[in-house]
Amino acid sequence: MARRFAARNPLSTFLGFCVLSSLPLVGMLHVWQRLGWSWPLWLYAGASLAAFTLYLRDKRKARQGARRTPENLLHLCELLGGWPGALLAQHAFRHKTRKRSFQLGFWCVVALHQAFWGRYLWR
């Protein structure tokens, strides 16, 4: 019961999102300041918007019993930088949160992004 309450608590969701997003955001701002490249910020923003939209569309199709969005497409969008939007969509729509195999893939993508930006900043 406590686990479900924590997952639905908007404050804990927001704080978790902020913590996970801080390392990539700092990394992207560093790239922008140092190299003058803003495209990583735009890539993450666009991919996050796309991921959020795909999750919304998939949730609606699931309710209708229609053909669903392939999980590989969701993971590809997350891998391209859309994991923040995917994380928000998972909590907003309570979608793809119980399927362990999907969550494993999702959190591997998040860990990969964290590792990349951590390596970039502390090289």
Side-chain angles (χ1 to χ4, degrees):
M1 184 81 167
R3 182 174 170 206
R4 284 187 180 189
F5 177 76
R8 293 182 185 172
N9 183 343
L11 181 59
S12 65
T13 299
F14 176 72
L15 291 175
F17 176 78
C18 289
V19 168
L20 287 172
S21 298
S22 61
L23 184 62
L25 182 60
V26 168
M28 287 183 277
L29 291 174
H30 187 265
V31 166
W32 191 3
Q33 177 199 19
R34 188 170 181 196
L35 303 173
W37 296 347
S38 63
W39 64 263
L41 285 166
W42 292 108
L43 178 65
Y44 267 66
S48 289
L49 181 61
F52 192 88
T53 303
L54 284 172
Y55 272 78
L56 174 61
R57 187 173 149 227
D58 190 48
K59 180 67 173 191
R60 286 181 179 165
K61 288 186 174 196
R63 286 183 177 161
Q64 297 168 353
R67 186 177 170 147
R68 306 277 302 277
T69 304
E71 289 183 355
N72 287 341
L73 180 60
L74 295 174
H75 284 315
L76 176 63
C77 196
E78 296 158 4
L79 187 62
L80 292 174
W83 67 265
L87 181 62
L88 291 175
Q90 285 179 20
H91 287 279
F93 310 130
R94 294 187 190 150
H95 189 54
K96 296 289 188 184
T97 57
R98 293 184 183 220
K99 189 172 182 183
R100 289 182 188 232
S101 61
F102 185 84
Q103 284 294 303
L104 178 64
F106 172 77
W107 288 108
C108 284
V109 168
V110 173
L112 182 68
H113 279 266
Q114 298 295 321
F116 172 81
W117 289 110
R119 174 89 169 122
Y120 171 76
L121 289 170
W122 288 288
R123 56 182 157 91

